[in-house]
Amino acid sequence: MNVTITPGKLSGAITPPPSKSQAHRLIIAAALSDGFCRLSNVALSQDIQATLRCMRTLDADASADGTIIRGADLVDGHDDPAPERMDCGESGSTLRFLIPVALALKGKGMFTGHGRLMERPQEPYFELFREKGISYQRKDNILTVEGRLEPGVFSIRGDVSSQFITGLLYALPLLSGDSEIVLTTDLESRGYVDMTLDALEQFGVRVGYDGARTFRVPGNQYYRHQDKTIEGDWSNAAFWYAANRLGSRLDVQGLNPDSVQGDRCIASFYEQLGGGGTLDLDVRECPDLVPPLAVMAALRAGETTRIVNAGRLRIKESDRLASVTQVLNALGADVEEHPDHLVIRGKEKLAGGAEVDSHNDHRIAMMAAVAATRCAAPVTVSGGECVAKSYPNFWEDYEALGGQIAREEETV
């Protein structure tokens, strides 16, 4: 779908969708629990539908309306027939969270996905599997794993993606003995691990963390059923913050200021980007914020912003360092791409008048839509339907805030 945006400021009250990151974590904990759980305020983005779908494959009864009912006994099923293929869509969280869970529950798993998902690195798990005698094969867009996940010490990198640590934190409490996760590097995206530890605690699962590189995970634990409400999403709220910095007048509502979501640091970055002088913004702990940060920096007239420690963006839904650069420069910005950072020289206004590719990346499409509010001419975003990955109602909300858009289905 092509979306053509007529430039103009936005105004009004907006409540961002529920947190996708928290929803993944609470859905998995609920589906592993010992009873009936109801999760409210669940938004059925494509990624969340993928996690619900895969938990059903692992024998949980996960209804589409957010009600989670634990299904068949979630116990070691090594005598089960060959595993049913789990379709993770384009959700890296679903895939990486559930690989160890499938091994803990079933001793096997078969995973597939779409877009760039199955190309994204899984080497931290593969290194563990080679050490632990777990077989794996990645062929024809399918990853198959098989082997008994035994209690013990799990040494793993902490600087590739926190999703690998989260996957182990969900699986290891289900094992028959105690385990440790020992990080071989410093942990990046600490906020996402904090969200995992918070979700586990809410469902009665104990994990000891020394705050550095060691997690101690007692075995023989049970997830206790709970009713929970998903918080508003700071990651998607960041685009409305960016629109405000570009001159719109939005009242962003429904967020928890004390949330453990790491991306609530957008509020601090927002204030920094309102001042003068050269800025260095370190996104090691919040890589998903780069698109909204970049569009704010692009309109920071006469000032230079460096967005640093961003190398992991190259393995997202798109190579986000490249796609941020390409899209903003096509609109008239001055963005310089480097291997692990961006240098952005701010302008008063962007030219617009271009068609830009979303790169099938929800955050790039939303960035372009926010940039269009300060363009001199209309902007067309191709592949605009990709926002459904995390924010299915984004275009409807954009229109409700006064945005003028025209949709056109792309021809093949």
Side-chain angles (χ1 to χ4, degrees), residues 281-299:
L281 303 181
D282 189 336
V283 296
R284 184 189 306 271
E285 302 297 331
C286 53
D288 284 344
L289 293 183
V290 168
L293 292 176
V295 74
M296 285 190 274
L299 276 303

Side-chain angles (χ1 to χ4, degrees), residues 146-374:
E146 185 166 0
R148 184 181 295 273
L149 199 63
E150 300 282 3
V153 176
F154 294 79
S155 298
I156 192 166
R157 296 180 65 93
D159 61 350
V160 177
S161 172
S162 64
Q163 293 169 347
F164 298 109
I165 292 93
T166 286
L168 291 171
L169 286 171
Y170 272 101
L172 298 184
L174 301 171
L175 304 185
S176 60
D178 299 348
S179 298
E180 285 190 356
I181 302 171
V182 178
L183 305 184
T184 59
T185 68
D186 288 341
L187 175 61
E188 296 189 6
S189 296
R190 163 77 183 266
Y192 289 103
V193 175
D194 288 341
M195 289 183 69
T196 301
L197 295 174
D198 180 69
L200 295 175
E201 183 179 5
Q202 289 185 61
F203 281 80
V205 173
R206 295 175 292 112
V207 174
Y209 178 41
D210 68 358
R213 294 194 177 188
T214 303
F215 300 84
R216 292 179 173 84
V217 188
N220 292 304
Q221 295 195 65
Y222 295 90
Y223 289 78
R224 305 301 183 186
H225 64 279
Q226 304 286 335
D227 293 344
K228 295 294 177 181
T229 300
I230 311 300
E231 295 179 350
D233 184 29
W234 280 95
S235 301
N236 280 322
F239 291 98
W240 304 126
Y241 269 78
N244 272 345
R245 181 54 66 205
L246 270 56
S248 292
R249 300 183 64 180
L250 302 178
D251 179 13
V252 185
Q253 302 177 344
L255 297 170
N256 176 7
D258 300 317
S259 173
V260 296
Q261 295 178 54
D263 285 351
R264 71 184 175 94
C265 66
I266 187 60
S268 173
F269 283 140
Y270 173 85
E271 295 299 330
Q272 293 180 61
L273 285 160
T278 298
L279 279 181
D280 277 12
L281 303 181
D282 189 336
V283 296
R284 184 189 306 271
E285 302 297 331
C286 53
D288 284 344
L289 293 183
V290 168
L293 292 176
V295 74
M296 285 190 274
L299 276 303
R300 195 168 164 256
E303 307 290 0
T304 298
T305 308
R306 297 174 72 250
I307 299 178
V308 301
N309 290 320
R312 285 182 298 133
L313 286 172
R314 297 201 181 278
I315 55 173
K316 294 288 188 175
E317 287 83 346
S318 68
D319 176 342
R320 278 194 190 142
L321 289 183
S323 54
V324 164
T325 301
Q326 180 183 332
V327 168
L328 289 180
N329 284 348
L331 297 178
D334 184 357
V335 183
E336 187 178 290
E337 177 188 351
H338 295 267
D340 64 352
H341 68 280
L342 299 174
V343 178
I344 305 173
R345 299 172 184 87
K347 296 188 175 185
E348 181 65 37
K349 201 174 184 75
L350 300 181
E355 178 175 334
V356 295
D357 185 355
S358 70
H359 297 268
N360 196 36
D361 188 329
H362 53 133
R363 301 195 194 278
I364 299 301
M366 291 188 282
M367 178 192 73
V370 171
T373 66
R374 282 282 293 278

Side-chain angles (χ1 to χ4, degrees), residues 32 58 74-78 98-109 134 145 147-150 167-168 170-176:
L32 295 174
L58 289 173
L74 298 177
V75 297
D76 186 4
H78 293 286
L98 295 186
I99 288 172
V101 171
L103 290 171
L105 297 179
K106 301 290 186 180
K108 62 191 79 169
I134 293 171
V145 296
R148 184 181 295 273
L149 199 63
E150 300 282 3
L168 291 171
Y170 272 101
L172 298 184
L174 301 171
L175 304 185
S176 60

Side-chain angles (χ1 to χ4, degrees), residues 108-146:
K108 62 191 79 169
M110 182 183 296
F111 301 87
T112 190
H114 308 283
R116 286 173 27 120
L117 179 63
M118 303 311 290
E119 301 169 14
R120 294 169 70 175
Q122 308 299 333
E123 190 59 29
Y125 278 155
F126 296 163
E127 290 177 2
L128 271 181
F129 294 166
R130 290 191 288 268
E131 175 189 338
K132 303 291 186 182
I134 293 171
S135 65
Y136 65 91
Q137 181 182 48
R138 184 158 52 178
K139 183 179 180 182
D140 298 332
N141 213 45
I142 296 172
L143 171 64
T144 304
V145 296
E146 185 166 0

